[in-house]
Amino acid sequence: MPKTAAETKTGSAAEPASGTDAETVAYQSDVGEVQVPKNPQRIVDLTAFTTGYFVALDAPVVGAMQGAMNNKYIKEQLAAQGTTNLGDTPTAEPILGLKPDLIIAYKGAEGIDKLSAIAPVVQLEYGKRSYKDLMLEMGKLTNREEAAKAWVEKWEARIAELKPQVEAAVGDRKVSILNPYAKGLYVFGNNYGRGGEIIYGEFGLKAPAKAQAEAIDSGTGWASISLELLPEYAGDIVFTSPWSGDDSDPETVYGNSLWKNLPAVKAGHVFRLDATSDTYNDPVSLEGQLEFITDSLLSAK
């Protein structure tokens, strides 16, 4: 199964951060109620995939995972606000040094007890909410609800403008999202990043029948196939990149005759995604993906 969230590992027990008199409110996290700052000023995000929501909301992030720091869609904004790169497996000590007033972690992440000794920890369950719902939820968490609603409204207006153009250009052709990896290919659907939220979710385009059934209609979000099955899962238009979860050579697939003989390849209707940044489905990343995906689909004549 593709890994979508970095695990958080913590080191030795840490002393609580300095207390403040800031007003707190009750927030319902995915594991229960937590008292959090009404206006958090020093957020540490250990999920990587949520960081872009805080960037979109202009909420201050003092520490983030390496994946988020390297995401081309938000890296400049994080650098501008002086966000610290906590690496892939941050320990409690550097987090403590950042004096956070709020920590974001995935549900069940390792070392929650030690993190809770530093600052309030809000645990999120990956994939529980759509990106729009998560945007509204992060707006609530950071006391920026109106900004979150405004983003959703602006996004939906932009989709409404572009969707008829895309539908007219694509017609009844099928679209695939394919990532080569060590044992074959991952076929992605509408809720695992890589543009799926836009291609299948917002634009309502369809994948080939088997991909549609297994990666989208099933609710799973992805399927794993052998190279031999590629022609059955490849659409008339293909978005692709190597999967960043292993170091296998993608040319095992891209250089294979099965790939080279795909109608999409022969027609020049294959579009390369960013192997790391396009895995994200936060608002800022989606805005960047929307431009590339729309231009690609409109060019596939």
Side-chain angles (χ1 to χ4, degrees):
M1 174 181 177
K3 294 181 180 178
T4 58
E7 283 191 353
T8 299
K9 298 182 180 179
T10 57
S12 58
E15 294 296 322
S18 301
T20 67
D21 295 325
E23 182 181 355
T24 62
V25 295
Y27 177 78
Q28 189 66 33
S29 78
D30 289 338
V31 297
E33 188 174 280
V34 184
Q35 289 293 321
V36 301
K38 183 177 181 180
N39 293 290
Q41 298 299 309
R42 300 186 63 81
I43 300 170
V44 165
D45 179 29
L46 301 177
T47 71
F49 286 85
T50 314
T51 308
Y53 290 86
F54 300 125
V55 171
L57 291 167
D58 198 25
V61 179
V62 296
M65 301 286 283
Q66 183 167 314
M69 298 295 295
N70 291 337
N71 178 354
K72 69 180 183 181
Y73 298 112
I74 62 174
K75 63 187 302 181
E76 291 183 7
Q77 298 94 313
L78 293 174
Q81 61 179 275
T83 305
T84 295
N85 186 341
L86 293 170
D88 288 324
T89 55
T91 58
E93 286 77 11
I95 296 172
L96 175 61
L98 292 174
K99 299 181 180 179
D101 58 4
L102 180 64
I103 298 172
I104 311 299
Y106 277 126
K107 180 180 177 181
E110 185 179 338
I112 293 294
D113 55 338
K114 296 172 184 176
L115 295 173
S116 298
I118 299 173
V121 178
V122 167
Q123 295 184 58
L124 301 175
E125 181 180 342
Y126 180 85
K128 179 179 179 179
R129 303 170 183 85
S130 70
Y131 67 88
K132 292 179 189 177
D133 287 343
L134 186 55
M135 180 59 158
L136 296 175
E137 196 65 25
M138 293 303 96
K140 182 192 304 182
L141 175 62
T142 59
N143 197 26
R144 290 165 168 78
E145 291 182 85
E146 291 307 312
K149 291 176 183 176
W151 183 87
V152 172
E153 291 172 0
K154 183 178 179 180
W155 172 262
E156 290 180 340
R158 182 64 174 149
I159 294 297
E161 177 185 354
L162 294 174
K163 186 175 181 178
Q165 301 174 41
V166 169
E167 289 177 327
V170 175
D172 60 359
R173 289 181 293 173
K174 303 298 187 281
V175 184
S176 297
I177 304 173
L178 303 171
N179 279 194
Y181 81 114
K183 298 180 181 180
L185 296 99
Y186 283 124
V187 181
F188 286 100
N190 60 333
N191 59 357
Y192 255 85
R194 300 164 178 85
E197 288 83 358
I198 296 169
I199 295 167
Y200 304 122
E202 297 294 3
F203 290 156
L205 303 179
K206 297 297 184 181
K210 287 192 174 182
Q212 183 74 31
E214 295 174 27
I216 301 175
D217 297 343
S218 67
T220 305
W222 63 279
S224 176
I225 64 169
S226 65
L227 178 58
E228 290 71 26
L229 294 176
L230 173 61
E232 300 177 52
Y233 289 79
D236 306 289
I237 301 170
V238 172
F239 289 86
T240 187
S241 71
W243 186 57
S244 58
D246 64 37
D247 57 1
S248 59
D249 184 0
E251 287 307 312
T252 302
V253 171
Y254 295 145
N256 189 281
S257 60
L258 281 173
W259 178 271
K260 291 180 176 180
N261 287 321
L262 292 175
V265 174
K266 290 184 173 181
H269 294 163
V270 175
F271 303 98
R272 288 293 186 107
L273 298 164
D274 186 290
T276 54
S277 299
D278 284 332
T279 62
Y280 291 86
N281 53 10
D282 62 83
V284 185
S285 298
L286 286 172
E287 288 172 348
Q289 292 167 27
L290 179 62
E291 180 178 359
F292 170 71
I293 289 168
T294 300
D295 288 347
S296 299
L297 292 171
L298 294 181
S299 73
K301 298 177 181 178

